[in-house]
Amino acid sequence: MVQEYYYFIKDYVKLANPRKDYFILMSILTFLYKMFLLLIPVMASFIVKYATIGEFNKVYLCLFMLTLTYFFYHLFLFLNHKVYGKNMHYCYANLNTKILNQLITVDENFTKKVSKGKLLNSINSDVIDIGDMFDMVTEFFMTLIQVIAIFIILLFIISF
């Protein structure tokens, strides 16, 4: 299964030719916003814990930390969407150029068998789907890391 993912990603990179800096930046931003997403329920649980035992100074501190956590979560998510948009634009232009260059070399019998409208619609939707794969790959890897982090957090909480 891992080998299938490897070949899929390899073929995607070969076809879409995404920029490495976008991939690295999206991976970092995805990692950061997912880690802050993990901190939100942890901070909320501390608020409930300290409110239950009556330590309201710690409740206010945790509320402040929760506010900061939400802020950074939304900041990194916003930045991730900005980089995603730039990458989509880059991949869309790159793939459209490749496809149009290939269409120039197609013989006229091909266009008799396939309608031009269906061809253009398929090209447009497929290019968007291929551009989306970049985000899906980073989300996949970061979700794996997130699951590992949840497992570590649970082990930490259970051991105490």
Side-chain angles (χ1 to χ4, degrees), residues 9 49 61 74 93 126 148:
I9 293 168
K49 174 185 172 183
L61 178 64
H74 285 288
D126 290 346
I148 293 168

Side-chain angles (χ1 to χ4, degrees), residues 6 15 31 36 45 52 56 58 73 76 78 94 97 109 113 126 130-131 135 139 150 155 160:
Y6 171 75
L15 178 65
F31 175 78
F36 279 103
S45 69
T52 303
F56 293 107
K58 290 183 180 179
Y73 163 72
F76 291 128
F78 172 76
N94 187 21
T97 302
N109 290 332
K113 294 177 185 175
D126 290 346
I130 291 171
D135 186 48
E139 286 287 333
I150 290 171
L155 284 177
F160 289 105

